[in-house]
Amino acid sequence: MLKATSFFVILILFFSCKTPENNSQSLISVIDQSLEFATQQSLRMAESLKDQPDKLPQTIDKNGMLVTCNSDWWVSGFFPGVLWYLYENSPSDSLKQWAENFTLRVEDQQYTTDNHDVGFMIFCSFGNGYRLTGNPEYKEVIHNASKSLITRFNPTIGCIRSWDYASWSAQWQYPVIIDNMMNLELLEWSAKTFNDTTLAM
């Protein structure tokens, strides 16, 4: 956190020393360069996993090596979402193909009912894919995921339950964490899109 804060302080000091016109141009240039770098790095990452169709990027270890996960890990939908955002910024066949490829890698999670992560697993990936392509197959996956997620809603408590009981959460009667807010977006969107009030919170 300190490193990120220091970086932004330096950026503010740098841009405050320039005229407003130069500030805008410099900032746009930094953003464009950053997006281009992110695009190239993401394409390389996607390419590195082309022969591992059940793997998705999870994080980087202390040695800078890629750590992967399966579709059932909570971050699985994030990389497909990144690819869709990069495609939105700069449409290309390669970005679209990889976005589609990695999106399909989390398709099985539409039927997940034992945790709340299905919301952002599917909406980051299939949600952005549908928003940008209108693919009706993506829409159906989103609908199924919404029906899976709503099974975790308890009307008495008024919340989606984050996880089922596990040894590390045995002290909680009904765990609800802030990540839940990101999952509710899937349900609200689906309630309106499918005109299904059972999905509305």
Side-chain angles (χ1 to χ4, degrees), residues 21 24 41 55 104:
E21 296 79 12
S24 297
Q41 291 297 92
K55 299 297 183 186
L104 291 176

Side-chain angles (χ1 to χ4, degrees), residues 10-168:
I10 291 169
L11 275 181
I12 291 168
L13 291 174
F14 175 75
F15 287 116
S16 66
C17 296
K18 294 176 172 283
T19 64
E21 296 79 12
N22 288 338
N23 281 352
S24 297
Q25 291 304 315
S26 297
L27 185 56
I28 290 170
S29 176
V30 168
I31 292 170
D32 288 343
Q33 291 172 20
S34 298
L35 284 169
E36 177 58 26
F37 182 72
T39 298
Q40 296 309 315
Q41 291 297 92
S42 295
L43 287 172
R44 288 190 185 100
M45 192 181 304
E47 182 74 21
S48 75
L49 296 174
K50 67 179 180 181
D51 296 325
Q52 301 178 64
D54 61 335
K55 299 297 183 186
L56 295 112
Q58 176 181 326
T59 189
I60 301 294
D61 68 16
K62 64 180 181 179
N63 299 313
M65 301 301 292
L66 179 64
V67 177
T68 60
C69 64
N70 296 322
S71 65
D72 61 355
W73 190 239
W74 68 279
V75 302
S76 63
F78 293 167
F79 184 62
V82 165
L83 292 172
W84 283 119
Y85 283 128
L86 292 172
Y87 171 73
E88 182 178 18
N89 175 67
S90 182
S92 70
D93 290 341
S94 58
L95 273 173
K96 185 177 183 184
Q97 288 166 7
W98 282 121
E100 291 171 338
N101 180 298
F102 278 87
T103 292
L104 291 176
R105 295 184 188 206
V106 299
E107 184 175 18
D108 61 331
Q109 294 306 307
Q110 65 185 298
Y111 302 112
T112 294
T113 58
D114 65 356
N115 66 74
H116 69 168
D117 298 329
V118 63
F120 47 75
M121 286 173 171
I122 295 299
F123 213 46
C124 289
S125 54
F126 284 88
N128 279 305
Y130 179 71
R131 180 175 62 83
L132 295 171
T133 69
N135 185 336
E137 294 177 6
Y138 289 2
K139 187 177 182 180
E140 184 61 25
V141 170
I142 296 168
H143 197 190
N144 288 335
S146 300
K147 290 186 282 188
S148 296
L149 181 58
I150 199 63
T151 65
R152 305 194 60 74
F153 179 69
N154 182 314
T156 301
I157 295 173
C159 291
I160 297 287
R161 183 176 184 161
S162 294
W163 309 288
D164 291 336
Y165 286 113
S167 58
W168 51 268

